[in-house]
Amino acid sequence: MREPLILAVAQPHCLAQDVAANARSHAGAVRAAGARVVVFPELSLTGYELDAAPVDADDSRLAPIVAACAETGALALAGAPVPGGGGRRHIGILAVDGTGARVAYRKMWLGGAEPEHFAPGPAPAVVEVAGWRLGLAVCKDTGVPRHAADTAALGIDAYVAGAVDSASEWHVQEERARRTAAAHRVWVATASFAGPTGGGFADTAGRSRIWNPDGIVVAEAGPEPGALVRATLTNPPS
């Protein structure tokens, strides 16, 4: 029987396009979380700045996160623009642990002005941690039932996402998470951007949350930057 998994959702302070400073904030969140997995919002390393340069997995500015993960044994799932083939850019999730970083997922379903700046990712993705299979998503992905279904078909225990939503649209994350939990009987976690950022988001939602497979919120952060919450995922859920 596998051990329960402690998972956190964090909404760190973010400076526009300052990857080095944001990486330090991420590292602080990893150390504070006391979790095996820490999930961060969409484009958390740059802010929702659609013209931000891509962040390579071997970027030296990620070193503080790598160090924090090495100290705590955590896996950080951070949001960043990432490079793709043919000079394309993607909205990605970087999986960072104590050995380094890799691109774990590229957002498939783009919204708003994103298609003018990014290419869609090719396929759903899963990361496995201590026997737990975590399906990955970014923002609009979570609103596309096909994405959740195709990801669930890979065999997942949880569906984890980074998101950016306006403060007035925080309820959208709730509706989507409950639908996914009900349809696929999985844990759902959304790390939601907090504080102002680019793309016209003067006031973002925050309120990062974790839902159990019954669609019940078991952990919820406030709207402020710097907040984080965690939950213990069990199987079967308690």
Short mmCIF file of all heavy atoms in Angstrom, two decimals, residues 4-28:
data_model
loop_
_atom_site.label_atom_id
_atom_site.label_comp_id
_atom_site.label_asym_id
_atom_site.label_seq_id
_atom_site.Cartn_x
_atom_site.Cartn_y
_atom_site.Cartn_z
N PRO A 4 0.50 7.94 1.89
CA PRO A 4 -0.20 9.17 1.51
C PRO A 4 0.78 10.19 0.94
O PRO A 4 1.98 10.15 1.24
CB PRO A 4 -0.81 9.66 2.84
CG PRO A 4 -0.95 8.42 3.67
CD PRO A 4 0.25 7.58 3.30
N LEU A 5 0.27 11.07 0.12
CA LEU A 5 1.10 12.09 -0.53
C LEU A 5 0.70 13.47 -0.04
O LEU A 5 -0.47 13.85 -0.15
CB LEU A 5 0.93 12.02 -2.04
CG LEU A 5 1.78 12.99 -2.86
CD1 LEU A 5 3.22 12.49 -2.93
CD2 LEU A 5 1.22 13.15 -4.27
N ILE A 6 1.65 14.21 0.50
CA ILE A 6 1.37 15.59 0.91
C ILE A 6 1.63 16.51 -0.28
O ILE A 6 2.73 16.54 -0.83
CB ILE A 6 2.24 16.01 2.10
CG1 ILE A 6 1.98 15.08 3.29
CG2 ILE A 6 1.95 17.46 2.50
CD1 ILE A 6 2.87 15.35 4.49
N LEU A 7 0.59 17.21 -0.68
CA LEU A 7 0.65 18.09 -1.85
C LEU A 7 0.25 19.49 -1.44
O LEU A 7 -0.71 19.68 -0.68
CB LEU A 7 -0.28 17.57 -2.95
CG LEU A 7 -0.32 18.34 -4.26
CD1 LEU A 7 -0.48 17.37 -5.45
CD2 LEU A 7 -1.46 19.36 -4.29
N ALA A 8 0.98 20.48 -1.92
CA ALA A 8 0.69 21.89 -1.61
C ALA A 8 0.44 22.66 -2.89
O ALA A 8 0.96 22.34 -3.96
CB ALA A 8 1.86 22.52 -0.86
N VAL A 9 -0.39 23.70 -2.77
CA VAL A 9 -0.60 24.66 -3.86
C VAL A 9 -0.15 26.02 -3.33
O VAL A 9 -0.51 26.43 -2.23
CB VAL A 9 -2.07 24.69 -4.33
CG1 VAL A 9 -2.39 23.47 -5.18
CG2 VAL A 9 -3.04 24.78 -3.16
N ALA A 10 0.67 26.69 -4.11
CA ALA A 10 1.30 27.93 -3.66
C ALA A 10 1.04 29.06 -4.64
O ALA A 10 0.89 28.84 -5.84
CB ALA A 10 2.80 27.72 -3.50
N GLN A 11 0.98 30.26 -4.12
CA GLN A 11 0.78 31.45 -4.96
C GLN A 11 1.82 32.51 -4.57
O GLN A 11 1.53 33.46 -3.85
CB GLN A 11 -0.65 31.97 -4.85
CG GLN A 11 -1.22 32.01 -3.44
CD GLN A 11 -2.73 32.09 -3.39
OE1 GLN A 11 -3.45 31.24 -3.93
NE2 GLN A 11 -3.23 33.11 -2.72
N PRO A 12 3.05 32.32 -5.04
CA PRO A 12 4.17 33.16 -4.58
C PRO A 12 4.08 34.59 -5.10
O PRO A 12 3.40 34.88 -6.10
CB PRO A 12 5.39 32.45 -5.18
CG PRO A 12 4.86 31.80 -6.41
CD PRO A 12 3.47 31.34 -6.04
N HIS A 13 4.76 35.49 -4.43
CA HIS A 13 4.94 36.84 -4.96
C HIS A 13 5.66 36.73 -6.30
O HIS A 13 6.58 35.92 -6.47
CB HIS A 13 5.77 37.68 -3.99
CG HIS A 13 5.09 37.96 -2.69
ND1 HIS A 13 4.24 39.03 -2.51
CD2 HIS A 13 5.11 37.30 -1.50
CE1 HIS A 13 3.77 39.02 -1.27
NE2 HIS A 13 4.28 37.98 -0.64
N CYS A 14 5.26 37.56 -7.25
CA CYS A 14 5.82 37.46 -8.59
C CYS A 14 6.15 38.85 -9.12
O CYS A 14 5.31 39.75 -9.08
CB CYS A 14 4.83 36.76 -9.53
SG CYS A 14 5.44 36.53 -11.20
N LEU A 15 7.36 39.00 -9.63
CA LEU A 15 7.79 40.22 -10.31
C LEU A 15 7.83 39.96 -11.81
O LEU A 15 8.35 38.92 -12.25
CB LEU A 15 9.17 40.65 -9.82
CG LEU A 15 9.29 40.98 -8.33
CD1 LEU A 15 10.73 41.33 -7.98
CD2 LEU A 15 8.35 42.13 -7.96
N ALA A 16 7.29 40.87 -12.59
CA ALA A 16 7.16 40.67 -14.03
C ALA A 16 8.51 40.37 -14.68
O ALA A 16 9.45 41.17 -14.56
CB ALA A 16 6.53 41.89 -14.68
N GLN A 17 8.60 39.22 -15.29
CA GLN A 17 9.75 38.78 -16.09
C GLN A 17 11.06 38.70 -15.31
O GLN A 17 12.13 38.62 -15.92
CB GLN A 17 9.92 39.68 -17.33
CG GLN A 17 8.68 39.71 -18.21
CD GLN A 17 8.94 40.13 -19.63
OE1 GLN A 17 9.94 39.77 -20.22
NE2 GLN A 17 8.02 40.90 -20.21
N ASP A 18 11.00 38.68 -14.00
CA ASP A 18 12.21 38.57 -13.18
C ASP A 18 12.33 37.13 -12.69
O ASP A 18 11.96 36.79 -11.56
CB ASP A 18 12.16 39.55 -12.02
CG ASP A 18 13.50 39.70 -11.31
OD1 ASP A 18 14.32 38.77 -11.40
OD2 ASP A 18 13.71 40.73 -10.65
N VAL A 19 12.86 36.27 -13.55
CA VAL A 19 12.92 34.85 -13.25
C VAL A 19 13.77 34.58 -12.00
O VAL A 19 13.42 33.74 -11.17
CB VAL A 19 13.45 34.05 -14.46
CG1 VAL A 19 13.64 32.58 -14.11
CG2 VAL A 19 12.50 34.20 -15.64
N ALA A 20 14.87 35.29 -11.87
CA ALA A 20 15.75 35.06 -10.72
C ALA A 20 15.04 35.35 -9.41
O ALA A 20 15.09 34.54 -8.46
CB ALA A 20 17.01 35.91 -10.85
N ALA A 21 14.38 36.50 -9.32
CA ALA A 21 13.67 36.84 -8.08
C ALA A 21 12.51 35.88 -7.83
O ALA A 21 12.26 35.46 -6.70
CB ALA A 21 13.16 38.28 -8.16
N ASN A 22 11.80 35.54 -8.89
CA ASN A 22 10.65 34.64 -8.74
C ASN A 22 11.10 33.24 -8.34
O ASN A 22 10.41 32.55 -7.57
CB ASN A 22 9.84 34.61 -10.03
CG ASN A 22 9.22 35.97 -10.33
OD1 ASN A 22 8.93 36.75 -9.43
ND2 ASN A 22 9.02 36.26 -11.61
N ALA A 23 12.25 32.81 -8.84
CA ALA A 23 12.77 31.50 -8.43
C ALA A 23 13.07 31.49 -6.94
O ALA A 23 12.84 30.48 -6.25
CB ALA A 23 14.01 31.15 -9.24
N ARG A 24 13.57 32.60 -6.42
CA ARG A 24 13.82 32.66 -4.98
C ARG A 24 12.51 32.58 -4.20
O ARG A 24 12.44 31.92 -3.14
CB ARG A 24 14.59 33.94 -4.64
CG ARG A 24 16.03 33.94 -5.17
CD ARG A 24 16.84 35.08 -4.60
NE ARG A 24 16.39 36.39 -5.05
CZ ARG A 24 16.83 37.01 -6.14
NH1 ARG A 24 17.74 36.43 -6.91
NH2 ARG A 24 16.38 38.21 -6.46
N SER A 25 11.46 33.22 -4.70
CA SER A 25 10.15 33.12 -4.04
C SER A 25 9.61 31.70 -4.09
O SER A 25 9.04 31.20 -3.11
CB SER A 25 9.15 34.07 -4.71
OG SER A 25 9.50 35.42 -4.49
N HIS A 26 9.82 31.04 -5.22
CA HIS A 26 9.40 29.64 -5.34
C HIS A 26 10.16 28.77 -4.34
O HIS A 26 9.58 27.89 -3.69
CB HIS A 26 9.65 29.13 -6.76
CG HIS A 26 8.65 29.56 -7.78
ND1 HIS A 26 8.35 30.88 -8.03
CD2 HIS A 26 7.86 28.84 -8.63
CE1 HIS A 26 7.43 30.95 -8.98
NE2 HIS A 26 7.12 29.73 -9.36
N ALA A 27 11.45 29.01 -4.23
CA ALA A 27 12.26 28.22 -3.30
C ALA A 27 11.77 28.40 -1.87
O ALA A 27 11.70 27.43 -1.09
CB ALA A 27 13.73 28.62 -3.42
N GLY A 28 11.43 29.63 -1.50
CA GLY A 28 10.89 29.87 -0.18
C GLY A 28 9.60 29.13 0.06
O GLY A 28 9.36 28.59 1.15
#
